[in-house]
Amino acid sequence: MSSYESLKTEILKKAVVHGKVILSSGKEADYYVDLRRVTLDSVSAPLVGEVRGPGCDKFFLLWQHQLSYQRREWRNNPSRRDL
């Protein structure tokens, strides 16, 4: 498995929190992405360094995909637009 694929797996496993989450604004969300859990992890941190090097574009494409997914979810669920 490539460093990119390993990092993607680690992000999905460790950084994405599903369930009711209270944001710092006081609002609720159904999920939260906390990258500190990945960047400070002993297994994931070296992968971040490897991917950020020559594979940097792939890493940022992954996050662009995540952001577009979040925007699509907000558009499809008007009751969650205030988050």
Side-chain angles (χ1 to χ4, degrees):
M1 185 182 303
S2 71
S3 296
Y4 170 77
E5 290 298 323
S6 298
L7 180 59
K8 184 178 174 182
T9 301
E10 292 294 314
I11 289 170
L12 293 173
K13 185 168 56 172
K14 296 177 181 174
V16 180
V17 178
H18 294 278
K20 294 289 182 188
V21 178
I22 304 296
L23 304 173
S24 60
S25 65
K27 297 180 180 181
E28 286 187 10
D30 294 327
Y31 66 94
Y32 180 71
V33 179
D34 185 1
L35 287 176
R36 291 174 301 164
R37 294 176 179 199
V38 173
T39 58
L40 299 175
D41 182 71
S42 63
V43 174
S44 305
L47 295 172
V48 172
E50 289 176 29
V51 170
R52 191 169 182 317
C56 187
D57 293 337
K58 287 183 180 180
F59 183 73
F60 288 114
L61 285 174
L62 171 66
W63 289 111
Q64 284 178 337
H65 173 74
Q66 176 65 28
L67 289 174
S68 67
Y69 172 77
Q70 289 174 347
R71 288 185 197 114
R72 187 172 52 249
E73 287 295 308
W74 292 334
R75 278 195 301 266
N76 294 336
N77 191 350
S79 66
R80 304 304 292 176
R81 283 191 183 164
D82 59 333
L83 296 178

